[in-house]
Amino acid sequence: MTADSVTGRTPALGAEYAETASEAYRAALRVIESVEPRIADATRKELADQRDSLKLIASENYASPAVLLTMGTWFSDKYAEGTIGHRFYAACQNVDTVESLAAEHARELFGAPYAYAQPHSGIDANLVAYWAILATRVEAPGLAELGAKNVNDLSEADWESLRAKLGNQRLLGMSLDTGGHLTHGFRPNISGKMFHQRQYGTDPETGLLDYDVVAAAAREFKPLVLVAGYSAYPRRVNFAKMREIADEVGATLMVDMAHFAGLVAGKVFTGDEDPVPHAHVTTTTTHKSLRGPRGGLILATEEYAPAVDKGCPMVLGGPLSHVMAAKAVALAEARQPAFREYAQNIADNAKALAEGFLKRGGRLVTGGTDNHIVLLDVTSFGLTGRQAESALLDAGIVTNRNSIPNDPNGAWYSSGIRFGTPALTTRGFGAYDFDKVAELVVEVLTNTQPTQASSGLSKAKYTLADGTAQRVHAAAAELLEANPLYPGLTL
């Protein structure tokens, strides 16, 4: 008895699955309620809120009941530092099974020679990856040169020399305002502090990556690590070209596919657009478009596998065994044929959303999308991203503000709204529904005005015209009712 891995809806045995899940959640909430009823109430309210709102945050999704229930088990009680078969605690044989299955599903799903399922989050995955690259490219050759097996064999003087090398390497990544992530070398982030960093952007006219410009920057800067991947770039990337650039300058290519891993798993991105065959190290989260639990995952070539495998104790503490178990379940779901249809629908729906904005006069960064992200420039509505985000939330549309290239309002207020299609696609939304969503978004933004402040127009405060929120809520409710979340699940 399984749920449909695309929508969470039920095929032939759906009613039985839904009732079994309902019984499980009702029982769990009764147990929680006996200790802290306010937590049980908040849990029920969260499901109700998610059912009643248009979730368009690109980094969020809806995990299946099987994935969610897997996290609430006795695996939460286990300490299991170390690796499979080599733990620093006793009685970890069942954790070994869980981690082995998560890694096995990841390898098979993505066609990778090695997978590491321990990272707690995307930033943890990136930190482990960075230090694994440093360990492989800098520490190991340094130890060999000094005739030592590990850093504990070094004199203080030799260790200080090696440590200086480890802390003075170069990283080239995509800038935050053109779609990169904090962990790609943004200076206030730890990635920007541990490396001598530089960033590449996009073409100022088109908003698209210019691989010749990236190559020129790499030749001039000569980074140890070239980072590809994005958080808010609405186009695909040619990872074969990025690997060519990395090879030319002797860099390790690391790809962060946290946002689009589901499109890779679902074979929407193949060939040069699939990062796994081209990158030395690939990192991802397991939620977002992959629709698993909140957590991280690393894929690597054999060269980097031994260093990645030392993520604990190098960077991580004890792995979250209950989350690794949920990763295994989610990855098993993603290996089902239905997931490919789901992934294609994500991309098709993003195009429908983009076209819906464009035909209503919206201005999009790069002029459209060919992944799961649509980035709307809200300055054409006379708004900041923060005002637009808040007004949309008033109308039951959940989004997040986001920087756009050369953003005049900075990262806090911003000038964009980032939309993503994975979550509503999980609910069953199609192209018609996303066109309607674009209509509702434009209605809200058109009827929102900045509030006057003593020093001019406020960047945060706004006024939403009377009746707009109610009209949009009512229209959204019709879409949501036609595409219910966890149909048949009752608490």
Side-chain angles (χ1 to χ4, degrees), residues 138-139 142-143 151 154 157-167:
V138 181
E139 183 179 305
L143 290 172
V151 294
L154 298 178
D158 285 340
W159 166 236
E160 288 300 323
S161 175
L162 180 57
R163 192 164 66 88
K165 292 180 182 178
L166 286 167

Side-chain angles (χ1 to χ4, degrees), residues 111-379:
Y114 167 83
Y116 185 65
Q118 289 194 22
H120 310 330
S121 65
I123 189 171
D124 281 355
N126 285 350
L127 282 174
V128 171
Y130 288 143
W131 279 107
I133 294 168
L134 288 170
T136 303
R137 296 287 307 276
V138 181
E139 183 179 305
L143 290 172
E145 183 180 334
L146 295 167
K149 290 184 178 180
N150 58 61
V151 294
N152 292 327
D153 295 335
L154 298 178
S155 67
E156 285 301 314
D158 285 340
W159 166 236
E160 288 300 323
S161 175
L162 180 57
R163 192 164 66 88
K165 292 180 182 178
L166 286 167
N168 195 33
Q169 297 300 319
R170 296 181 175 187
L171 179 144
L172 179 63
M174 192 176 197
S175 66
L176 189 66
D177 70 330
T178 58
H181 190 257
L182 292 168
T183 56
H184 298 175
F186 185 52
R187 189 164 291 171
N189 182 262
I190 190 171
S191 61
K193 298 177 190 288
M194 65 186 280
F195 285 102
H196 177 28
Q197 53 78 235
R198 192 169 294 180
Q199 298 183 316
Y200 60 84
T202 54
D203 184 276
E205 297 297 324
T206 66
L208 299 174
L209 274 174
D210 185 327
Y211 296 98
D212 291 336
V213 172
V214 177
R219 292 187 197 107
E220 190 274 327
F221 190 54
K222 293 183 173 55
L224 178 79
V225 186
L226 174 62
V227 182
Y230 49 81
S231 178
Y233 179 68
R235 297 293 179 176
R236 304 185 187 193
V237 174
N238 186 318
F239 295 107
K241 287 186 178 180
M242 297 299 282
R243 176 60 183 265
E244 288 176 7
I245 295 169
D247 286 347
E248 180 185 344
V249 299
T252 295
L253 177 61
M254 174 180 144
V255 174
D256 180 347
M257 66 171 184
H259 259 274
F260 54 92
L263 301 183
V264 177
K267 307 306 178 188
V268 176
F269 291 178
T270 59
D272 292 348
E273 297 167 348
D274 178 352
V276 179
H278 304 293
H280 297 92
V281 181
T282 306
T283 65
T284 184
T285 52
T286 47
H287 43 292
K288 299 186 178 77
S289 59
L290 198 53
R291 205 178 52 188
R294 296 187 65 87
L297 182 72
I298 301 173
L299 310 172
T301 63
E302 296 292 351
E303 177 186 4
Y304 291 91
V308 172
D309 219 33
K310 295 175 183 175
C312 173
M314 179 172 60
V315 172
L316 305 174
L320 304 177
S321 303
H322 58 305
V323 179
M324 288 198 296
K327 291 175 187 178
V329 172
L331 292 166
E333 289 178 341
R335 293 183 66 187
Q336 300 302 310
F339 192 87
R340 293 195 180 191
E341 180 183 354
Y342 166 64
Q344 186 61 57
N345 288 342
I346 288 174
D348 293 344
N349 286 338
K351 285 187 180 296
L353 180 63
E355 290 166 3
F357 284 134
L358 290 171
K359 73 182 183 183
R360 294 175 176 90
R363 188 163 64 208
L364 302 181
V365 173
T366 76
T369 182
D370 49 28
N371 56 26
H372 66 295
I373 293 171
V374 177
L375 188 54
L376 179 66
D377 179 351
V378 297
T379 59

